[in-house]
């Protein structure tokens, strides 16, 4: 790993080259071998560091970004943090238009990373001038030498994973990977990695993870936009209510949907079984792995790589908070008894 190579010139040199870690306990009843590509090891604690660096460096090559220029995006999540991080080192301003639904802690995190944050009303239509899409578009139009990242509709998002995450997994498994399991939000990760891996070995199967309440699985199966599939759900970062052009549905073999509750429990189980403190979608990926295994997807020779997108620290107010779990009706006092805090 780059991390062991002595002095780094700046934090951006530590993006990527994340570890692949064997799962020893949580998958012990499943046939085959399971490995976690743990993206929480990136300096910004998620795989979005990879796309931030790639998209910003491509804009530099095209002469759009120069010192003092501005990077604009519409997310309070992992991508916002990564854009802010890369902007600091590169000397760019970072503007993030976020919805008023974003938790105060998230906005504080982006401010801590030097971003200028615009909080936009959540319950307005996408084409309302106050919506975060419209605010970002307007700021982009008004700001010279700015780049609007627009990750859902930017092929460089997918390319970042084709160039880095895909080759890393191929090398780390010495080309022996048989199955890839990844979440799909923008689709950048699953599409870029799958395209690279299938070019090396077309027999590799790519298994997508979607949420109940999202359109992706149904669209993959029918190529129809069935609005009935869309309803609110809790998992953040996975699934979608629109079809992102960053997703290449042709390189995904199948999708499996998971529930909010099962995903939350699996994330907590991953922490206490493997010591991997990862995010909500990582729990979704573990749950989907169990569902795929139940369907007979794997055998004793399977070498399955699960991409765990981010670190658990982003979810302290949610899946790692017992109060939040109770509010959702997810808390299982027997399961979590050993984690009870005792006040002396
Ligand atoms: N998990 C988390 C926590 C994310 O933030 C995202 C990005 N929206 C994803 C999974 C999905 O990754 P991608 O956008 O590359 O499909």
């Amino acid at each position: 790993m780059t991390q062991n190579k002595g002095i780094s010139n700046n934090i951006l040199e530590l993006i990527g080259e994340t570890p692949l870690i064997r799962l020893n306990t949580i998958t012990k009843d499943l046939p085959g071998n399971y490995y976690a590509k743990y993206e929480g090891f990136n300096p910004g604690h998620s795989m979005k560091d990879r796309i931030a660096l790639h998209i910003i460096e491509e804009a530099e090559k095209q002469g759009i970004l120069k010192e003092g220029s501005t990077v604009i995006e519409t997310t309070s999540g992992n991508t916002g943090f990564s854009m802010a991080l890369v902007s600091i080192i590169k000397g760019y301003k970072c503007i993030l238009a976020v919805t008023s639904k974003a938790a105060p802690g998230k906005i504080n995190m982006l401010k801590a990373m030097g971003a200028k944050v615009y909080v936009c009303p959540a319950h307005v239509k996408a084409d309302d001038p106050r919506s975060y899409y419209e605010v970002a578009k307007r700021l982009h139009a008004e700001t010279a030498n700015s780049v609007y990242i627009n990750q859902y509709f930017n092929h460089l998002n997918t390319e970042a994973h084709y160039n880095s995450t895909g080759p890393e997994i191929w090398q780390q498994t010495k080309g022996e990977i048989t199955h890839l399991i990844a979440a799909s939000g923008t689709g950048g990760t699953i599409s870029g990695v799958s395209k690279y891996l299938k070019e090396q070995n077309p027999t590799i199967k790519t298994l997508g993870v979607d949420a109940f309440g999202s359109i992706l699985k149904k669209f993959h199966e029918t190529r129809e936009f069935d609005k009935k599939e869309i309803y609110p759900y809790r998992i953040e970062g996975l699934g979608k209510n629109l079809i992102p052009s960053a997703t290449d549905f042709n390189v995904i073999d199948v999708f499996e949907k998971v529930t909010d509750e099962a995903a939350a429990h699996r994330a907590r189980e991953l922490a206490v079984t493997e010591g991997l403190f990862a995010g909500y979608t990582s729990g979704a990926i573990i749950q989907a792995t169990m569902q795929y295994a139940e369907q007979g997807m794997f055998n004793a020779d399977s070498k399955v790589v699960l991409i765990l997108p981010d670190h658990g620290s982003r979810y302290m107010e949610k899946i790692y908070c017992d109060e939040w779990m109770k509010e959702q009706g997810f808390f299982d006092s027997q399961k979590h008894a050993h984690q009870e805090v005792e006040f002396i």
Side-chain angles (χ1 to χ4, degrees):
M1 281 172 65
T2 353
Q3 271 92 332
N4 293 329
K5 284 195 180 148
I7 296 170
S8 304
N9 291 310
N10 62 49
I11 197 157
L12 301 186
E13 288 186 356
L14 300 175
I15 292 177
E17 302 285 341
T18 52
L20 190 67
I21 307 163
R22 177 187 292 277
L23 297 176
N24 297 299
T25 308
I26 199 165
T27 49
K28 69 179 185 320
D29 297 329
L30 311 186
N33 299 282
Y34 298 81
Y35 310 95
K37 179 76 170 156
Y38 184 37
E39 291 292 297
F41 260 64
N42 280 297
H45 304 153
S46 88
M47 79 301 193
K48 293 294 180 183
D49 284 358
R50 298 175 187 267
I51 78 163
L53 187 62
H54 183 61
I55 296 173
I56 286 175
E57 290 193 336
E58 284 302 305
E60 286 172 341
K61 278 186 208 154
Q62 289 168 26
I64 301 168
L65 289 178
K66 309 174 186 73
E67 198 160 338
S69 294
T70 306
V71 173
I72 301 173
E73 184 54 322
T74 50
T75 168
S76 61
N78 287 324
T79 305
F81 192 91
S82 296
M83 291 296 162
L85 175 84
V86 177
S87 298
I88 290 168
I89 305 301
K90 298 275 191 184
Y92 303 135
K93 297 184 202 94
C94 180
I95 294 180
L96 299 168
V98 311
T99 107
S100 50
K101 278 199 299 193
K106 283 197 167 178
I107 293 169
N108 284 340
M109 227 161 47
L110 301 174
K111 278 169 59 189
M113 296 302 282
K116 167 77 186 157
V117 181
Y118 289 82
V119 179
C120 310
H123 303 293
V124 295
K125 289 210 173 108
D127 59 0
D128 187 294
R130 295 163 298 162
S131 82
Y132 58 94
Y133 296 114
E134 288 302 316
V135 169
K137 271 200 267 176
R138 175 173 62 76
L139 291 167
H140 175 45
E142 287 172 359
T143 313
N145 296 326
S146 66
V147 63
Y148 176 25
I149 304 295
N150 204 5
Q151 59 171 338
Y152 285 90
F153 298 95
N154 190 336
H155 75 280
L156 296 172
N157 167 3
T158 315
E159 192 176 271
H161 291 289
Y162 177 86
N163 290 347
S164 68
T165 327
E168 286 171 29
I169 291 172
W170 182 251
Q171 283 156 20
Q172 285 168 313
T173 60
K174 300 189 171 64
E176 290 178 358
I177 172 176
T178 59
H179 299 79
L180 169 75
I181 307 187
S184 202
T186 66
T189 309
I190 193 168
S191 308
V193 174
S194 178
K195 181 162 182 271
Y196 179 86
L197 293 176
K198 283 176 182 277
E199 281 172 9
Q200 313 312 307
N201 175 1
T203 69
I204 293 170
K205 288 270 171 289
T206 297
L207 316 179
V209 183
D210 192 18
F212 285 101
S214 154
I215 190 84
L216 299 177
K217 177 175 162 62
K218 185 76 179 279
F219 182 82
H220 179 251
E221 287 163 3
T222 64
R223 292 297 191 270
E224 275 166 27
F225 193 87
D226 182 355
K227 281 192 183 153
K228 288 199 297 296
E229 293 292 306
I230 300 170
Y231 51 87
Y233 58 91
R234 300 258 170 253
I235 311 174
E236 295 165 74
L238 168 164
K240 207 56 205 165
N241 55 1
L242 51 77
I243 304 302
S245 69
T247 310
D248 181 353
F249 286 90
N250 296 320
V251 296
I252 302 166
D253 291 283
V254 62
F255 270 106
E256 187 65 13
K257 285 192 182 198
V258 299
T259 65
D260 290 333
E261 180 168 7
H265 283 297
R266 291 296 186 189
R268 292 177 75 139
E269 189 183 349
L270 184 65
V272 296
T273 51
E274 307 284 348
L276 277 169
F277 187 51
Y280 202 169
T281 56
S282 296
I285 288 159
I286 298 288
Q287 175 59 24
T289 304
M290 302 296 168
Q291 294 175 204
Y292 281 125
E294 228 164 79
Q295 295 163 12
M297 186 68 80
F298 313 119
N299 62 38
D301 297 327
S302 297
K303 290 198 163 50
V304 186
V305 173
L306 288 65
I307 302 183
L308 305 185
D310 67 354
H311 192 268
S313 56
R314 300 251 153 100
Y315 305 88
M316 296 315 298
E317 311 305 322
K318 299 213 164 160
I319 55 172
Y320 295 113
C321 170
D322 289 350
E323 291 312 312
W324 185 86
M325 290 287 276
K326 281 175 194 160
E327 277 162 30
Q328 313 310 312
F330 295 170
F331 194 76
D332 178 337
S333 50
Q334 264 186 328
K335 215 176 233 172
H336 301 300
H338 64 290
Q339 290 167 314
E340 277 295 308
V341 175
E342 289 190 31
F343 292 91
I344 307 292

